[in-house]
Every structure is written in C-alpha cells, then in structure tokens.
Amino acid sequence: MKDLELARGITRRQRFLRDRTLLLMTLPAVVLLLVFNYVPLLGNVVAFQEYDPYGAGITGSPFVGTYNFERLFLDNRFWEVLVNTLVIFFTQLVLFFPLPIALALLLNSVLNDRVRAWVQGIIYLPHFFSWVLVVTVFQQMLGGAGLIAQQLRERGIGGFDLMTDPGFFKFLLTAQSVWKDAGWGVIVFLAALAAVNSELYEAAAVDGAGRWRRMWHVTLPALRPVIALLLVLRVGSALNLDFEQILLQRDQVGPGAAEVLDTYIWWTGVRTGDFGYATAAGIFKGVFSVLMVLLANKVAHMLGEQGVYSKR
Amino acid sequence: MTAVLMDPQGVRETPLQRIDRTGRRPVWEEEPTRIGQGLKGVSLVAICLVVLGPLWVVLVTSLSDKKTITEAGGLVVWPGTITFEAYEALLSGGAVTRAALVSVGLTVVGTLFSMAVSVLCAYGLSRGNSFGHRPLLMLLMVTMFFGAGLIPTYLLVTGIGLQDSYWSMILPSAISVFNILVLRAFFMGTAPELIESARIDGAGEWRILLTIVMPLSRAVVAVISLFYAVGYWSQWFNAMLYIQDSDKYPLQMILRQLVLQHQVPPGAMGQAVSSGALSSLAVQMAVMILALIPVAVMSPFVQKHFRKGMLIGAVKG
C-alpha cells in the first residue's frame, strides 16, 4: 500500500496533511486511553517500590526490588485467597456453563415464534440490571428478612438466611450469575443452532435417528467449536470473577469465604494502604491470566478445536 | 460474552429468520409426545417465573401500604391496597431524589461523551489507508488484552485530583475499545461509493461523517449508545472508589446502603417513614424499582435491534 502511494508520488508529509482531520478525530480517544490505560500500566512500578501514598508518590518512593513479591508469595493469606478464587470459579464454571446450552436447545425446539420471542425477552432482561440491583433482589428473596425466610417463619422454621452463610456463598454467587446472565448467554448458542444446515437433521431423521440421537450426532457437534471458544475465554478469565458482585457481599458474608483475588487487591491496597503489595498481587493476577489463556487454548487445540487464536 | 460480534455488513436478516419459522413442523420430524410437550411448557413457564417472580414481589411490596405489609408479614405477593406513598416520599426531595438526579445526569452526560469520542475515533480509523491508522489501531487493541490493574488506576485517578468529582465516574471507563471496533466495522461497510463521490464533490470529513455515515448507521449507533447508557446507569464501583461526598452518590450507592448495609442515608425517606406512616420495606422496594425502570425500558429496544440482525454470533456457519 505504502509503496503504491509512494509510486503515485505522495510523500508521508502529504499523506499526513491529507488525513489530518481523521487524525484529529481519533485524538480524544487516544488521549483518554493514554491517560487512563497506558499511564497506569507504567504505574505498576509501584510493585517494586516501598510506596508512600502521602509523601513521595511514585517518583519519589524508594525502590525495593522484589521485596513486595517475596512478601506476597510468603503470605499464607494470599494463597488462601487464590485457592478460594479458583474454587468459586470452578463452581461457577461447572454449574453455570451448561445452562445456556440447555436453555438454547429448549428455546430452539419451540416452534411458535411469538412464544419464543416472549421467553427470550424475559430471560434477557436481568442481564441489563446492575449487580447492586441483582444482589438486593436476592437479599429480598433469600435474606434473613426475605420472602423465603418469611414463609418459613410462618410455618415455625426460623433462622433462614442464605445471604450471610459462608458455606453457601459460592452457590449463592452461581445462582446470582445464573439469574443475571444465563438467559443472555443463550444468544451465542442460538445463533450457532440457527446456522446448522437443516438438511442434516432431515437426513438423520430419514435414516431413522430419533430426537435424542439427532441432538447427540448433529446438534452437539455443531455447537462444539462455540463451546470450546467460550470455555477457553472463560478459563482465561478465571481470576476475573464478577468483582462488583463479590465486593458487594463481602461485608455480609465475611472475608473468610468472600475474599477473592480482586477484593484482596482492593482491600490491601485501597483500604489498608499497602499499595506495593497490592500492585504486586495485581501483576501476579495479570500474568496468571495470560498463562491460563495460553494453556486453555493449547488444550482446545489438542482436542482438535480452534480456540481463540488458531495454530499456524 | 465477548464472543458475540456485530455483523459489519450492516443490518441484515439473522439466520433465525432465514429458516422457516412459521410454526410448521417439518414433515420428517416425529410428532411430539403429550408428556414431552407438557414438560416443555412447564419448564418455559417456570423459567419465566424465576425471572419475573422476584421482580413482581418487589413491585407489589413497593406499592403496598403499611397495613398490607404488616398483614403479609413483610413481603407482599398478592396486592392489597395500592398506594404510591413510598414513591412520593422518595421523590419529594432528599437523598434519593438527589441520587436519582445524579444518576440521570451521569447517564446522559456520560453517554453523550462516550458516544462522541467513540464515533469520532471509529470514523477517524475507518479509512483503510489513512496516515498512521495501523499503529493507532494497535494502540487501541493492546488495551483489550492488558488491563492496567486496579491499584495503578486508583492511584492515577486520585493522583490527578478527580476524587469527589463527577468526572471520576465518567472518564476512567469512558470508552470501550470493543464498541469502537464495532462502530468502525460498520462505518467501513457503509456505502464507500457514496463517501467517495461526496469527497470528489468537495465534502470534508466532518460533513461526510455527519450527513452520510451517521444517518446510515443509526441502528448501530443506537445500540452502542444504549450499551453505554446501561453501563453508566449501573455504575457503582467507580462511585464507591472515588466518591466520598454523599451528596454526589448515584442511585446504586444509595440502593446498596439502604438494602445491603441497612443504613438509612440522612433525609432519604422524608417525614413519612420517620413518623412511622410508611413502611421502610416499601421504601427499599421503591428504590429498587427506581433503579430498575430505566434498564427495563431500554432492554426491549436493545433486543429489537438485535433481532433485526445487528448481532451475529461469532460462529462459523
């Protein structure tokens, strides 16, 4: 492209002048990204400093090498939090992931257009709710003063409160995620289902395959690439649980069950002021996430799927 | 779901509509059994109830008077006496009124700001051979893969003095690179011949953007605006991090205080509650409904545009 234009006799300067309006248009976005994404990226040097938020700041705080990382890796609390994060992640993965697929299969089998559109309209709705709203809805249903506790109390059973039960917390989080996003997750699978060539079903039916065998041999293979892709993405963001959702309930449930890596970073940094330590934990999280994506993608390739990026 | 991508070719039919969906069963498919049909119906109804049931209880309780709530023992499932007292008390001034106004203001200003920046950037990068567009694209995309992390961002925002400023709830997450890329893909797909001829006729970039590209991309601009708007309305985290002054709290902060932390912000409920004429439960529910209404209103529009075919799964057919 460049050679072509040089051949046409347009210099870089001329191209710049020609496109200056376009460049000007990108300027606000570029400035925003530089300030709020790139500058903080550099701010990660705090992880190697004895950061003093009230005096010296980033430029003046002394460098302490890998001291913060040593503290992090020798801290039992950090490893507990990491394990807790992964436990919550796997609970969510196992219990949440199959639901949108099942819902999509169910919806796809509904022939009546209007019924389907209505059901879709309803199950997509909670996706647009804020986490604050979702958690408050759950509080009013499952909390100590909620609907179910109230019904039980009338029947003489007291003490029901799922919202503050540490042992139940990971299932509570899953239930909230399902309520909010399982419906929305259907969209991808519905699109994949709609793309299946219906002649395949017809041929299978003519060959005597029943409803379930058609699902097993036609539908599921068609969904496989999507499932693999979403699984890879999901595993890659294993440490990115819904931060707001957990932080909102951290006080009620207690940091024993509700502390995950993100809330831990927030707590040690913003709340207790140990910014170097918290930033080190943040860097660990970033590196760990990248490794998870690479690993998940590798597994997807080994299973013969494409994953996020393809093998060259 | 990041795997859901927009169709850059512009509005077109979804695969769903290409299939015969008139409700006829293909001839080769066996007739469903009674039990099968019944189970399907029951599960569909159950799913819808799980979503709508809690919202119904919240709505009905917010509209109940004190007597009905006491008789029901708390939450009201079957409506008794209907009253708008809770809403009147909340919206007649005080902390909730203020917070609702802050949220509305944030949503309007934030969405306009985000859209202006995003549309300009998307258009600026939509010419395939323009000066420097490749490095600029790289600069955008890198941020999709490398987040800076919570603490450095926090230190920056507080460091440049945005604490307790409304801008701290807008600027740090004002643009989504993903949305810009979607807009750009649409702009690139809009009638290159029209743009070319306009340019030959002497129209400048601003004019092309405003009079040709924008009117042709109304649908995608609408959907992206709604996404930004829902994001601003739902925002809680930035407010929690950066806003200490309770006069600047958005609605989500108040909702959390009221329902999850059992704190009553001063002046939130007006005279009616403190004098005991109004149930505090009804007030909680009314705040939840206030937080819910805008998104519930927006959701059908977003969905309508999806169904029109703007949203295509990133699925190879």
Side-chain angles (χ1 to χ4, degrees), chain B residues 4 15 34 44 46 54 68 102 125 161 165-166 172 180 188 212 219 221-222 225 236-237 242 255 261 277 282 284 299:
Chain B
V4 180
R34 273 265 170 80
L44 286 176
T68 317
V102 168
L125 294 174
S165 154
Y166 290 122
I180 293 182
M188 289 178 90
I212 299 177
V221 168
S225 307
W236 165 74
F237 187 58
Y242 304 123
L255 180 59
Q261 300 180 313
Q284 285 185 18
S299 149

Side-chain angles (χ1 to χ4, degrees), chain B residues 289-303:
Chain B
I289 294 292
L290 288 182
L292 181 153
I293 286 174
V295 281
V297 171
M298 283 189 244
S299 149
F301 289 102
V302 180
Q303 292 187 27

Side-chain angles (χ1 to χ4, degrees), chain B residues 155-187:
Chain B
L155 292 177
L156 174 85
V157 173
T158 51
I160 58 177
L162 281 183
Q163 232 163 348
D164 263 340
S165 154
Y166 290 122
W167 288 104
S168 69
M169 294 184 271
I170 294 180
L171 293 178
S173 41
I175 49 174
S176 138
V177 170
F178 183 75
N179 286 349
I180 293 182
L181 294 181
V182 171
L183 284 168
R184 172 178 176 265
F186 267 85
F187 292 168

Side-chain angles (χ1 to χ4, degrees), chain A residues 1 5 12 15-16 18-19 21-26 28-30 32-41 43-44 46 51 58 96 103 106-113 115-117 119-126 128-130 132-133 135-137 139-141 145-147 150-151 153-154 179 184-185 187-188 190-192 194-196 198 201-202 205-206 209-211 214 226 229-230 233-234 243-244 247-248 251-252 262 265-266 269-270 275 278-279 290 306, chain B residues 1-4 15-16 19 21-26 28-32 40 43-44 47-48 50-52 54-55 57-58 72-75 77 113 117 120-121 123-125 127 129-132 134 136 138-140 142-143 146-148 150-157 160 162 171-172 174-175 177 180 205-206 209 227 230 234 236-237 240-241 252 255-256 259-262 281 284-285 288 291-292 295-296 299 302-303 306-307 311-317:
Chain A
M1 209 60 164
E5 293 196 279
R12 283 175 67 85
R15 277 178 69 216
F16 174 76
R18 185 193 65 189
D19 295 331
T21 324
L22 292 175
L23 288 169
L24 190 67
M25 287 174 166
T26 61
V30 169
L32 272 176
L33 287 178
L34 285 178
V35 173
F36 290 100
N37 291 75
Y38 283 87
V39 172
L41 218 50
N44 275 310
V46 169
Y51 183 74
I58 292 186
F96 181 101
L103 261 175
L106 178 66
L107 276 175
N108 200 50
S109 74
V110 174
L111 287 173
N112 188 318
D113 233 359
V115 174
R116 229 184 29 184
V119 176
Q120 275 173 289
I122 290 169
I123 63 175
Y124 293 168
L125 182 65
F128 299 101
F129 294 172
S130 66
V132 182
L133 187 58
V135 173
T136 49
V137 167
Q139 173 74 25
Q140 306 291 19
M141 296 302 121
L147 187 67
Q150 176 187 323
Q151 302 293 331
R153 224 178 303 122
E154 278 169 20
W179 193 73
W184 190 251
I187 293 178
V188 185
L190 276 183
V196 180
S198 61
Y201 286 114
E202 186 171 354
V206 171
R211 197 176 292 280
R214 289 205 299 273
V226 193
L229 175 71
L230 289 184
L233 287 174
R234 197 112 197 136
F243 181 25
E244 287 196 9
L247 191 55
L248 278 165
D251 294 344
Q252 300 186 41
D262 275 324
I265 293 169
W266 169 78
V270 177
F275 288 101
T279 311
V290 171
Q306 211 172 7
Chain B
M1 290 276 165
T2 38
V4 180
L16 280 182
I19 296 178
R21 278 292 179 189
T22 47
R24 264 177 290 140
R25 191 171 293 283
W28 46 265
E29 195 172 317
E30 53 278 71
E31 276 301 309
K40 203 192 280 179
S43 40
L44 286 176
I47 289 164
C48 292
V50 166
V51 174
L52 293 182
L55 302 180
V57 174
V58 169
L75 289 116
V77 182
F113 179 77
V117 175
L120 284 179
C121 179
Y123 182 73
L125 294 174
R127 197 74 36 78
N129 61 351
S130 71
F131 181 87
R134 224 165 303 218
L136 284 173
M138 277 304 284
L139 184 124
L140 257 68
V142 164
T143 63
F146 299 101
L150 171 67
I151 298 298
T153 309
Y154 174 82
L155 292 177
L156 174 85
V157 173
I160 58 177
L162 281 183
L171 293 178
I175 49 174
V177 170
I180 293 182
E205 300 293 354
W206 292 97
L209 173 62
F227 272 136
V230 170
S234 305
W236 165 74
F237 187 58
M240 198 271 303
L241 273 185
Q252 309 285 345
L255 180 59
R256 181 207 184 199
V259 182
L260 297 180
Q261 300 180 313
H262 309 290
L281 201 57
Q284 285 185 18
M285 301 295 175
M288 291 171 71
L292 181 153
V295 281
S299 149
V302 180
Q303 292 187 27
F306 282 178
R307 227 169 279 139
L311 194 109
I312 298 289
V315 180
K316 275 165 258 101

